[in-house]
Amino acid sequence: RSSAASDVYKRQGKYYERELEDKLREYFEDMVVYKDLKESNFFKSLSLPAFLRDWLLKMFEDEDGHFDVTEMTDFIHQYIPSKVQWTGIKNRIVKEGETVKLLTRISIDIDIKTQDVTFSLPDFGLNNKETLIEDRVWDECKDELVKAKESWGIIELGYRYPEGKTPGKIKLVSFANFCPYEIDLDFYKDVRRNFSVQEWIDVILGAIDYNADGYETEAQKLAMLTRLLPFVEKRVNLIELAPKGTGKSYVFGGISRYGYLCGGKMTRAKLFYDLARREEGLVFYHDFIAFDEISKVEFDNPNEMVQTLLGYMEQGTVKIGDKNDVAEAGVVMLGNIDQEDMDEWKNMFAGLPSFLKNNSALIDRIHGFVKGWDIPRMNEGLKICGWALNSEYFTSIMHMLRDDVSYRAIVDRLVDYPADSDTRNTEAVKRIATAYLKLLFPHVRTAEDVKPREFNQYCLRPAFRMREIVLRQMGMLDVEYKGKEMPKFSINPVGDES
């Protein structure tokens, strides 16, 4: 562009940004916060996840997006202490006889033999053997705490002193849910009708802390949003290979309290089911499990883990000993890739661990491939600075959308393919297309509500391409899949095309 044209373009972009922010504030009101990740060194030093940071912003910001740093700092020091402060907190509880309030995660356990209810605080290393919840307190807060094995909230801790052979324990005095407001999913769906698909893409980017104006093309924006598919649809299995610095760990580890990012060594007991302790694993309590730097992930018993993964990634089944159950977490595998290998027509899986690259049956259960090199490397221009949806609110919405099966019924109605199509291919495409539909078109209630052209452009075609890359890679690893092609997908005519 010429210098003059570039200036006009920038002015138009700024006008569009202000217009979209005004629209966002008008429709979402209290669910919008002012985020400034370019200048917020205050938050950088705290290393808070996005959902917790936005919760604090919502609590302390005024209507112009300003907050008192001293006031917020005092709150954080009082209620969100660091791990190194835990000894001092224990001293206050155990020796000084104080009750202490913390904003943190709490995990509940109920002993079947004794009926004792205990808790642990994962962030401080406090385990169930050192704690108790008395019956009166349990009756007051059980409705909130039984919703999940792990909850976020403001907890109040006290101490039960030792008496005779009864040991002293830290006890829960009270619990207040982390989310201070009710989330109306129908309201969210209805509000979406007031935004174009292009505007909505920008709204979502802001909700996960990215500045939409920092991207050069819509394709780059959509590549970033592809990472959110496991957030909105159950058991979506993805693999992403990307250059370093594109924000994989941030999206999967820092945006939502419902996901789990792991690395290093993983055991079948931790991931699926601990037979000795009779405890359910991570897949039962999270929306997705993301394996960071998959090439470095180690399994304590690779053969055992692969066999369990085969059943789980196919149907969500967990069969270990007497445990025969179904979980809903998606499996996401994240890896780095060198520039010379960023080519879907080459073998991109050569650097993956042997348990994966040597097992085409396991790769076949991956629904889609994310081309991470289409996502720009993180830079200052991609950091949000303006009004955007509260991350805590938005990720809670995505979590709730997972239970809505109406979108899959719409996809089943819209998508057609030959009768002899491979089921894994059709299921992968339909599952990813359903996730896109939830993410970009949450307002649709029937197949007639979505324009076929938009459904094809934003849901079906991207889903097809993501699965096609997986199939092509399998053909390079296993002669059985060599030359196999994806089925031809089409859209059934419904309603009015206009």
Side-chain angles (χ1 to χ4, degrees):
R1 295 190 184 94
S2 68
S3 177
S6 179
D7 289 343
V8 170
Y9 177 79
K10 288 178 181 178
R11 287 198 298 272
Q12 289 175 338
K14 291 296 181 184
Y15 175 77
Y16 165 79
E17 284 181 44
R18 288 196 299 270
E19 193 176 53
L20 182 58
E21 285 185 359
D22 290 343
K23 196 172 181 179
L24 196 60
R25 296 184 71 184
E26 175 188 354
Y27 287 109
F28 280 102
E29 298 180 347
D30 290 342
M31 301 309 170
V32 177
V33 295
Y34 188 84
K35 307 181 187 182
D36 185 357
L37 268 61
K38 291 183 179 180
E39 300 297 334
S40 270
N41 292 318
F42 167 73
F43 279 114
K44 289 178 185 175
S45 64
L46 296 174
S47 300
L48 297 175
F51 62 86
L52 185 52
R53 180 207 63 221
D54 283 4
W55 184 84
L56 289 168
L57 286 174
K58 177 174 165 51
M59 178 182 290
F60 287 98
E61 275 186 351
D62 61 23
E63 61 182 15
D64 296 318
H66 302 134
F67 62 88
D68 188 310
V69 173
T70 302
E71 185 181 12
M72 188 183 289
T73 301
D74 289 343
F75 178 90
I76 291 169
H77 286 162
Q78 183 174 353
Y79 295 109
I80 314 177
S82 64
K83 291 181 180 179
V84 297
Q85 295 173 277
W86 178 240
T87 301
I89 293 171
K90 282 197 295 184
N91 177 67
R92 290 169 58 194
I93 296 170
V94 177
K95 304 298 289 184
E96 305 297 332
E98 297 181 32
T99 60
V100 177
K101 288 186 177 182
L102 306 174
L103 174 54
T104 188
R105 293 182 294 159
I106 180 172
S107 181
I108 301 300
D109 186 59
I110 302 174
D111 191 296
I112 296 174
K113 294 180 180 179
T114 65
Q115 296 186 323
D116 289 340
V117 184
T118 59
F119 65 95
S120 63
L121 302 182
D123 292 332
F124 298 102
L126 183 67
N127 63 53
N128 295 84
K129 294 180 180 179
E130 303 170 302
T131 66
L132 79 147
I133 303 178
E134 295 169 340
D135 291 342
R136 178 187 57 79
V137 176
W138 180 244
D139 289 339
E140 291 174 356
C141 61
K142 64 183 178 183
D143 290 342
E144 294 292 344
L145 292 174
V146 296
K147 291 179 180 178
K149 185 177 181 182
E150 186 176 274
S151 306
W152 275 86
I154 296 179
I155 64 170
E156 185 176 8
L157 302 176
Y159 188 62
R160 185 193 72 180
Y161 287 91
E163 185 176 341
K165 294 183 178 181
T166 304
K169 291 191 175 185
I170 291 178
K171 64 181 182 179
L172 185 70
V173 177
S174 67
F175 173 83
N177 196 315
F178 171 76
C179 184
Y181 47 81
E182 292 292 328
I183 295 177
D184 188 337
L185 185 57
D186 287 334
F187 169 80
Y188 174 87
K189 293 178 179 180
D190 290 338
V191 167
R192 164 62 180 89
R193 299 179 187 276
N194 299 288
F195 296 82
S196 68
V197 65
Q198 289 77 22
E199 288 176 328
W200 194 247
I201 289 169
D202 291 356
V203 167
I204 297 174
L205 286 167
I208 60 171
D209 294 349
Y210 287 90
N211 172 31
D213 196 47
Y215 293 88
E216 296 181 0
T217 64
E218 184 180 81
Q220 286 185 347
K221 295 177 181 180
L222 291 170
M224 169 59 79
L225 296 189
T226 300
R227 289 174 170 169
L228 299 182
L229 300 180
F231 290 60
V232 292
E233 180 68 5
K234 296 176 181 177
R235 297 204 311 270
V236 169
N237 305 322
L238 300 179
I239 184 166
E240 176 183 345
L241 299 181
K244 296 177 181 178
T246 57
K248 297 187 295 295
S249 300
Y250 182 74
V251 172
F252 290 104
I255 296 294
S256 173
R257 58 189 167 116
Y258 299 102
Y260 190 91
L261 179 70
C262 60
K265 191 170 184 178
M266 176 60 66
T267 66
R268 190 177 71 161
K270 182 178 180 181
L271 186 60
F272 293 110
Y273 184 68
D274 190 323
L275 195 56
R277 297 184 177 181
R278 305 180 73 83
E279 288 182 356
E280 293 177 331
L282 295 170
V283 295
F284 287 95
Y285 300 108
H286 297 89
D287 289 352
F288 60 83
I289 309 297
F291 292 93
D292 202 9
E293 296 195 39
I294 186 63
S295 62
K296 298 180 181 178
V297 170
E298 297 180 7
F299 294 148
D300 61 334
N301 187 329
N303 292 333
E304 185 180 70
M305 181 68 92
V306 167
Q307 288 305 310
T308 308
L309 278 169
L310 285 170
Y312 180 76
M313 292 175 68
E314 179 77 9
Q315 297 177 322
T317 55
V318 176
K319 295 182 179 179
I320 301 174
D322 60 350
K323 182 69 171 177
N324 188 353
D325 209 342
V326 175
E328 298 172 343
V331 175
V332 182
M333 302 179 184
L334 307 171
N336 296 322
I337 187 170
D338 295 328
Q339 186 170 357
E340 60 269 22
D341 296 324
M342 298 176 193
D343 185 349
E344 62 189 84
W345 297 93
K346 292 171 56 178
N347 181 0
M348 297 185 293
F349 288 0
L352 296 179
S354 57
F355 78 83
L356 187 58
K357 68 181 178 183
N358 295 335
N359 195 321
S360 57
L362 189 59
I363 294 176
D364 200 10
R365 286 156 169 79
I366 297 173
H367 298 123
F369 182 94
V370 180
K371 294 200 292 183
W373 56 88
D374 287 343
I375 300 170
R377 184 178 172 84
M378 192 62 197
N379 60 72
E380 292 300 306
L382 290 175
K383 294 179 180 180
I384 185 71
C385 179
W387 292 96
L389 274 185
N390 179 335
S391 295
E392 199 277 326
Y393 167 74
F394 178 65
T395 54
S396 295
I397 286 287
M398 288 195 290
H399 174 71
M400 294 170 70
L401 282 169
R402 291 167 63 86
D403 289 324
D404 194 329
V405 297
S406 66
Y407 297 92
R408 177 56 187 260
I410 292 170
V411 171
D412 287 340
R413 171 72 178 86
L414 287 172
V415 176
D416 194 21
Y417 42 82
D420 61 351
S421 299
D422 183 272
T423 299
R424 288 215 178 101
N425 291 328
T426 58
E427 176 60 24
V429 170
K430 290 169 80 171
R431 189 167 297 200
I432 293 175
T434 301
Y436 271 121
L437 189 65
K438 290 180 177 181
L439 192 64
L440 300 176
F441 304 95
H443 59 292
V444 303
R445 302 288 170 68
T446 68
E448 288 76 17
D449 290 339
V450 60
K451 296 177 181 178
R453 282 190 297 257
E454 287 189 339
F455 177 78
N456 187 50
Q457 178 181 353
Y458 292 104
C459 302
L460 183 57
R461 276 206 330 240
F464 179 92
R465 288 196 294 266
M466 290 174 68
R467 176 59 185 179
E468 185 178 40
I469 295 175
V470 174
L471 186 63
R472 188 174 296 134
Q473 291 297 306
M474 285 196 297
M476 299 178 195
L477 297 172
D478 189 336
V479 66
E480 181 183 342
Y481 294 93
K482 192 172 182 63
K484 286 196 174 184
E485 296 184 353
M486 290 285 290
K488 303 294 183 183
F489 287 84
S490 60
I491 298 179
N492 288 316
V494 291
D496 185 4
E497 173 76 14
S498 62

